[in-house]
Amino acid sequence: MKKTLIAVAAAAALTATSAFAEITFGAWLRVITGVGSNGEDVVMGTTNSWGGVRPARLNAAGTSEDGKAGFKLDFYFENDEIWGHDYNIRIGDNGYLWVKPIDQIQLSIGKFDGGETGFRGDFCYGSWNWLRPFNWIVEDEGLTFKGSHKDGLMARITPIDNLVVLVQLPVMNAKWGGNNNGYVAKTETEDAKNTAADVFKNAAYMASYSIEGVGTLKAGFFGADDEKTVEGKKYNQTGTVNVAFDLNAIENLYVTVGAFFDIADKEMGEWHEKMKFTAGASYQVSDAMKFSVSGGYVKYMDKCSWLGNKDNAFGIGAGVDYVIMDGLTLNADVRYKNVGYGKKGDDGSVSFLAGVVKSVGGNASLQAGFQGSTNGCGLVQADTGIPAVEKDDFVWAIPVGLSVFF
């Protein structure tokens, strides 16, 4: 995303001095429209890769001249039917301020996008950037490692070179006194999760260490403290342990692997993931061609009725990006998940994409292609997507996308 820089003079609050700050404005947008079939009717509509319609946005960020303080704020204008209302303007992925009391510590507070921690293990390619099919084991964003866990206070600590320690406390979700009105007593019917113990139980703790010329090792604990009552008995989820390794020791080859282990009682539900293993690899064959492959295996707490009474599932995908000529690139991929589809839920589903992306000037691109998915696997998990009418339907689409970036 390109950014426009504006130098502004800002008077320091309650002082007679002034300081200069660098303010950056940027935007990145994608909207996808076209024609498709839900297995029964040929339909038309507009969405984007993740659902909803976002025709405008503005990202603003500021940094003080000495690099000791700043902020980040996103405004989105969108028709977001996921939330049950029409066009609206709202704070987007980020809305936070930060300060660096010393070079080794940065403190931030507010709302964070999943990638703001710098820890999230992304591996995005192919249909992730088009109409995303339903048949994922884990999404391309956060494939091998979780990102931002909670809104609130984030402390990023770099005690030595190549080591990063990060703590996120969900203090934005806690209420003084446990009530939206502020400093009042918590009622008997409210479970505001606002005590100091609650906050630390729901916190996230992460660390990463980079070995130059080899890769980066990451580990984290993402607290949950989630209670569920089953047949009058209470059961608890404590949190998730996540470890990952990103390998970049071989030229043109990138490999990332991850593992997730959930600490919870079995009675939390059949849908609950007990453990998950994921991996992705990409190889830049030449300046014009790159191959990608990813996959995952998940073990659930119990046998799942919606998976044909199985307690595990796996998925795999592969894709290629090929520069046909300057400004014109081919995207193609195929993904497969082994269960969760068909009338009995014990069938698999194949999804595929073949499309081209054409750059338009220096700030935009157009994309057009063909996508399909089998056995009732829809495209885009949102009200603006294309769900299958019947569980064994073939869903297809001819998407046309517009992207702009400033």
Side-chain angles (χ1 to χ4, degrees):
M1 178 176 70
K2 297 184 178 179
K3 294 182 178 180
T4 301
L5 307 182
I6 302 177
V8 298
L14 303 180
T15 71
T17 62
S18 65
F20 286 88
E22 183 178 81
I23 307 296
T24 64
F25 295 93
W28 176 83
L29 288 160
R30 177 190 297 138
V31 174
I32 300 176
T33 188
V35 63
S37 170
N38 57 18
E40 181 175 294
D41 298 314
V42 176
V43 297
M44 295 188 70
T46 300
T47 184
N48 55 42
S49 300
W50 55 91
V53 182
R54 186 178 300 164
R57 70 186 283 182
L58 177 65
N59 307 112
T63 305
S64 62
E65 187 179 30
D66 59 9
K68 295 291 188 180
F71 74 91
K72 193 170 184 180
L73 178 62
D74 304 335
F75 285 110
Y76 293 169
F77 171 65
E78 58 189 11
N79 183 355
D80 200 344
E81 295 182 14
I82 300 173
W83 304 109
H85 43 68
D86 295 326
Y87 282 103
N88 65 94
I89 297 176
R90 66 179 181 89
I91 294 178
D93 295 330
N94 296 291
Y96 64 89
L97 59 85
W98 59 269
V99 296
K100 294 184 73 172
I102 60 175
D103 290 341
Q104 292 80 15
I105 298 177
Q106 177 174 306
L107 301 175
S108 309
I109 191 164
K111 179 184 180 184
F112 307 100
D113 173 63
E116 290 300 290
T117 61
F119 277 72
R120 193 173 67 186
D122 294 347
F123 193 81
C124 305
Y125 67 95
S127 53
W128 185 259
N129 301 316
W130 293 70
L131 299 178
R132 297 173 185 171
F134 293 8
N135 58 343
W136 311 98
I137 286 294
V138 65
E139 297 181 343
D140 283 15
E141 291 181 359
L143 175 73
T144 57
F145 201 84
K146 288 175 174 285
S148 178
H149 177 56
K150 300 281 187 182
D151 302 339
L153 174 67
M154 181 192 299
R156 185 181 183 86
I157 307 165
T158 53
I160 60 174
D161 289 345
N162 302 323
L163 176 64
V164 180
V165 177
L166 193 139
V167 178
Q168 281 187 292
L169 301 177
V171 293
M172 294 288 284
N173 302 327
K175 307 291 184 182
W176 290 99
N179 187 290
N180 289 330
N181 294 326
Y183 303 89
V184 295
K186 182 166 66 173
T187 67
E188 293 182 0
T189 58
E190 274 189 342
D191 182 11
K193 299 290 183 183
N194 68 313
T195 68
D198 291 328
V199 169
F200 281 95
K201 286 180 182 177
N202 285 278
Y205 309 89
M206 294 168 262
S208 70
Y209 185 75
S210 298
I211 306 170
E212 189 173 352
V214 178
T216 301
L217 177 65
K218 294 180 280 191
F221 175 75
F222 300 83
D225 192 32
D226 182 28
E227 285 188 352
K228 182 178 180 181
T229 301
V230 180
E231 296 181 353
K233 295 182 180 180
K234 289 186 176 181
Y235 301 94
N236 186 64
Q237 178 192 12
T238 302
T240 302
V241 175
N242 189 186
V243 294
F245 183 72
D246 303 333
L247 174 70
N248 53 23
I250 303 173
E251 186 177 5
N252 299 327
L253 176 67
Y254 171 71
V255 177
T256 179
V257 295
F260 306 77
F261 304 94
D262 199 77
I263 304 171
D265 297 327
K266 182 177 180 180
E267 289 80 4
M268 287 297 292
E270 63 177 31
W271 51 270
H272 206 79
E273 295 178 352
K274 182 177 182 180
M275 64 182 69
K276 181 164 54 183
F277 303 94
T278 57
S282 64
Y283 184 68
Q284 191 74 43
V285 180
S286 65
D287 291 340
M289 182 179 291
K290 182 174 76 171
F291 285 109
S292 301
V293 61
S294 62
Y297 169 85
V298 61
K299 177 84 169 179
Y300 295 95
M301 283 291 181
D302 205 347
K303 292 181 178 180
C304 303
S305 57
W306 51 280
L307 293 180
N309 207 32
K310 293 182 174 62
D311 66 353
N312 64 89
F314 73 85
I316 191 169
V320 61
D321 299 302
Y322 180 73
V323 180
I324 301 171
M325 62 177 68
D326 186 31
L328 185 65
T329 302
L330 168 71
N331 295 156
D333 79 339
V334 60
R335 313 258 183 161
Y336 173 73
K337 183 181 175 185
N338 70 319
V339 290
Y341 303 94
K343 292 187 175 180
K344 294 183 178 180
D346 58 356
D347 294 325
S349 175
V350 176
S351 64
F352 60 87
L353 156 75
V356 292
V357 180
K358 175 69 172 68
S359 61
V360 180
N363 295 88
S365 66
L366 291 172
Q367 61 191 76
F370 183 79
Q371 292 185 254
S373 56
T374 66
N375 270 346
C377 174
L379 299 172
V380 184
Q381 299 188 49
D383 292 342
T384 53
I386 311 176
V389 174
E390 299 293 340
K391 291 183 178 180
D392 55 357
D393 281 340
F394 174 66
V395 172
W396 60 266
I398 302 174
V400 178
L402 294 75
S403 296
V404 297
F405 28 87
F406 300 96

